[in-house]
Amino acid sequence: MGAPYYQFCPVAKAMELLDERWTMLLLRELLLGTEHFNDLRRGLPRMSPTLLSHRLDQLQRAGLIERIAHGADVRYVLTPAGAELRPVVEQLSAWGVRWIGELGDADLDPKLLLWDMHRNIDHETVPDARTVIALHFTDASPARRRWWLVIHDGDADVCDADPGYEVAIEVRCSLRALTRFWRGDIEWTTLLLAEDATATGPSHLRRALPSWFTRPGYAAVPRVGALAGVPGR
């Protein structure tokens, strides 16, 4: 628990738990359905394993999550108290989209972006055969420029080394542009027409590509006033 505020106000009592660094982002991951420690780390790549363990212990002691172990398989599952925070996190997300400004370069992370994309695939729309999307981020460092999404049999993997399968579509764009698309700041057609991006592959796959993904709910939140046109959003 964080330092007490010594106020009877329920906001103060709630924030004694929730305003610890990383806690709300950890709850975001749990609300998205992530249950295993290593997958939580992938969604929170800059959070140390030690701190992640500590925060999970805090949430368990506070009654927001339950630790379920079956042999070596350990899952962290939200209790009703934890699940009740869903609208709080969703409203924070919507507020952040409407009112928080430009993304900095340090906010752009190809691994984190593709991790989020891989868990939001509409597998009903993807071809039945193994489908590989190769991505080339023109504005990323050489070591983080090439990535692959491998979609097969209702599952998906994010690879930073060539998996060796035939590529169905290759997308070449800036990391910032694809992040903006994923956040709902621009649409796919805008990305291709105005962001110096290209998609290479059979025409029917190129047309279908954006339908393979279900963007996060905050992507549909209307932008407010001048922020809708802020460069880099």
Side-chain angles (χ1 to χ4, degrees), residues 61-98:
R61 290 197 302 271
L64 272 64
I65 65 172
E66 182 181 1
R67 185 181 185 273
I68 301 174
H70 294 286
D73 181 50
V74 177
R75 297 185 299 122
Y76 297 93
V77 179
L78 289 164
T79 65
E84 197 171 309
L85 286 165
R86 181 178 299 277
V88 176
V89 174
E90 290 176 347
Q91 285 299 311
L92 274 174
S93 177
W95 184 89
V97 164
R98 278 196 295 267

Side-chain angles (χ1 to χ4, degrees), residues 8 11 35 74 77 92 103 127 166 171 179 181 202:
F8 65 83
V11 174
E35 295 182 344
V74 177
V77 179
L92 274 174
L103 292 173
E166 181 180 358
V171 177
T179 302
F181 162 74

Side-chain angles (χ1 to χ4, degrees), residues 3-19:
Y5 288 106
Y6 299 113
Q7 294 190 13
F8 65 83
C9 168
V11 174
K13 300 309 294 179
M15 294 309 292
E16 287 176 2
L17 172 66
L18 299 179
D19 73 351

Side-chain angles (χ1 to χ4, degrees), residues 3-197:
Y5 288 106
Y6 299 113
Q7 294 190 13
F8 65 83
C9 168
V11 174
K13 300 309 294 179
M15 294 309 292
E16 287 176 2
L17 172 66
L18 299 179
D19 73 351
E20 291 263 40
R21 182 168 172 80
W22 294 105
T23 296
M24 290 300 291
L25 297 185
L26 175 54
L27 286 166
R28 177 200 68 192
E29 292 299 304
L30 292 163
L31 287 163
L32 287 170
T34 306
E35 295 182 344
H36 292 91
F37 189 88
N38 286 337
D39 288 340
L40 289 167
R41 287 196 62 198
R42 292 184 179 97
L44 302 164
R46 299 191 183 188
M47 186 180 188
S48 73
T50 301
L51 183 56
L52 175 56
S53 294
H54 181 60
R55 290 288 181 266
L56 288 169
D57 288 343
Q58 285 181 313
L59 293 178
Q60 185 178 357
R61 290 197 302 271
L64 272 64
I65 65 172
E66 182 181 1
R67 185 181 185 273
I68 301 174
H70 294 286
D73 181 50
V74 177
R75 297 185 299 122
Y76 297 93
V77 179
L78 289 164
T79 65
E84 197 171 309
L85 286 165
R86 181 178 299 277
V88 176
V89 174
E90 290 176 347
Q91 285 299 311
L92 274 174
S93 177
W95 184 89
V97 164
R98 278 196 295 267
W99 297 108
I100 301 300
E102 182 177 354
L103 292 173
D105 289 343
D107 299 322
L108 305 176
D109 185 329
K111 186 174 183 179
L112 184 58
L113 173 62
L114 295 178
W115 178 253
D116 202 34
M117 292 179 72
H118 108 286
R119 64 183 174 188
N120 285 280
I121 294 171
D122 182 354
H123 289 276
E124 295 296 322
T125 65
V126 180
D128 291 334
R130 179 183 285 110
T131 303
V132 179
I133 306 169
L135 299 110
H136 183 113
F137 293 122
T138 56
D139 57 345
S141 64
R144 296 161 64 84
R145 193 166 291 168
R146 299 284 293 172
W147 296 82
W148 291 261
L149 278 174
V150 181
I151 308 169
H152 181 55
D153 197 23
D155 201 2
D157 289 318
V158 178
C159 304
D160 59 1
D162 190 341
Y165 302 120
E166 181 180 358
V167 171
I169 299 180
E170 179 165 2
V171 177
R172 182 184 180 93
C173 65
S174 69
L175 175 59
R176 180 175 291 277
L178 190 61
T179 302
R180 294 184 67 210
F181 162 74
W182 192 244
R183 283 167 43 97
D185 299 326
I186 59 174
E187 295 304 316
W188 185 254
T189 52
T190 304
L191 184 148
L192 293 178
L193 293 174
E195 296 287 346
D196 195 26

